Amino acid sequence: MDCVWFTLPVGSQDEVGQLTAGFNAMLEGLRQRDFIRDTFGRYVSPEVAQTLLESPENLGLGGEKRELTVLMSDLRGYTRFVEQGDPTMVVEVLNHYLGRMTEIIIEHGGTINDFAGDGIVAFFGAPLPGADHAERAAACAIAMQIILDEVNRQHAVQGLPRLEMGIGLNTGEAIVGNIGSEKRAKYTVIGTVINLAARVEACTVGGQVLLSPGTYERIQDLAEVGPPIPVEVKGIRDPLLLYE
């Protein structure tokens, strides 16, 4: 059962009033710790969670603009397996896959925003800022594809289906903050950066990582890419150049 904490009115400036004010300050600290633990405990690295606990001001709960990189991944052909497979096995396979991908994202300093079926939405550069968010996101995407090869080798031995994953990356400015109600809230990203990331991911085939122009611009001195791939994207007049 969750505890409910109430602040006390400070009715005087004497020792009792000071004690009450101190109690209220302690209570607010506990609330912040509980929020950080509940919101980030399973979606960021222990180091990030500890930093937030030590410096809650880094959280920016009121919402703020931040440049970051969004990673979106999705499995190809998994719907057929879901429809035809045994429910228990389907969930076990999905949980194992998501568990391995979660480990890689957290290792690279990403924040997991959402699981949408077999899809993953993560972002780099928040809640803690970092100038290398695009580099870490790209390195994470490559590591995820490498780990998926390992998962597929295990599946081959167990007679399970081979999984193929496409990953799209997009970098840009977004609003990050705590969104929701008093009963249920979530630290998330809002803005066109996440919509474009979804469209980049939708252009991928299994085994592919595609970069938006925004991401490519920030890591072009580090990344080896193929020739630009022009694609028609809804809401954008000119063809969008993606980089594998």
Side-chain angles (χ1 to χ4, degrees):
M1 181 177 178
D2 294 335
C3 293
V4 179
W5 303 86
F6 297 97
T7 56
L8 300 176
V10 180
S12 64
Q13 300 297 321
D14 58 11
E15 291 182 357
V16 175
Q18 294 175 7
L19 181 63
T20 303
F23 174 82
N24 289 339
M26 179 189 70
L27 179 59
E28 180 59 27
L30 290 173
R31 283 174 172 164
Q32 288 183 332
R33 291 179 66 90
D34 285 346
F35 170 78
I36 293 171
R37 182 198 63 203
D38 294 341
T39 304
F40 294 101
R42 299 178 63 185
Y43 304 109
V44 299
S45 69
E47 292 79 13
V48 170
Q50 184 61 36
T51 300
L52 293 173
L53 286 171
E54 294 172 353
S55 304
E57 64 274 8
N58 287 323
L59 203 52
L61 292 182
E64 62 178 321
K65 285 188 176 181
R66 183 86 63 85
E67 184 185 82
L68 46 74
T69 298
V70 175
L71 178 153
M72 300 193 73
S73 72
D74 195 45
L75 292 179
R76 300 292 179 262
Y78 192 75
T79 301
R80 182 180 302 174
F81 173 60
V82 171
E83 293 174 346
Q84 299 177 356
D86 173 73
T88 300
M89 181 179 64
V90 167
V91 172
E92 289 179 356
V93 169
L94 182 59
N95 284 342
H96 179 247
Y97 157 76
L98 292 176
R100 296 303 303 274
M101 296 303 129
T102 296
E103 292 172 2
I104 297 300
I105 293 170
I106 289 177
E107 285 176 7
H108 286 78
T111 298
I112 298 173
N113 185 64
D114 200 10
F115 296 121
D118 54 69
I120 303 172
V121 183
F123 50 86
F124 298 75
L128 300 184
D132 62 343
H133 52 82
E135 178 182 348
R136 288 187 287 110
C140 178
I142 294 173
M144 289 169 67
Q145 295 288 13
I146 292 173
I147 289 297
L148 188 60
D149 287 339
E150 178 184 315
V151 170
N152 281 326
R153 286 194 292 271
Q154 297 174 357
H155 282 192
V157 173
Q158 300 169 352
L160 296 173
R162 175 180 177 80
L163 303 179
E164 292 189 335
M165 172 178 59
I167 302 177
L169 301 178
N170 182 41
T171 301
E173 192 174 72
I175 296 175
V176 293
N178 190 35
I179 308 299
S181 66
E182 292 184 359
K183 291 186 177 180
R184 184 171 179 83
K186 181 178 182 180
Y187 187 81
T188 189
V189 175
I190 301 173
T192 58
V193 62
I194 198 164
N195 298 329
L196 186 55
R199 289 168 181 170
V200 173
E201 182 276 318
C203 294
T204 63
V205 297
Q208 194 173 43
V209 177
L210 289 181
L211 311 178
S212 73
T215 304
Y216 174 66
E217 179 182 350
R218 286 157 182 79
I219 64 171
Q220 57 184 319
D221 295 333
L222 303 172
E224 295 181 6
V225 299
I229 305 169
V231 297
E232 300 288 339
V233 176
K234 183 179 179 181
I236 299 179
R237 180 185 304 175
D238 299 323
L240 188 69
L241 297 181
L242 304 182
Y243 300 85
E244 181 176 8

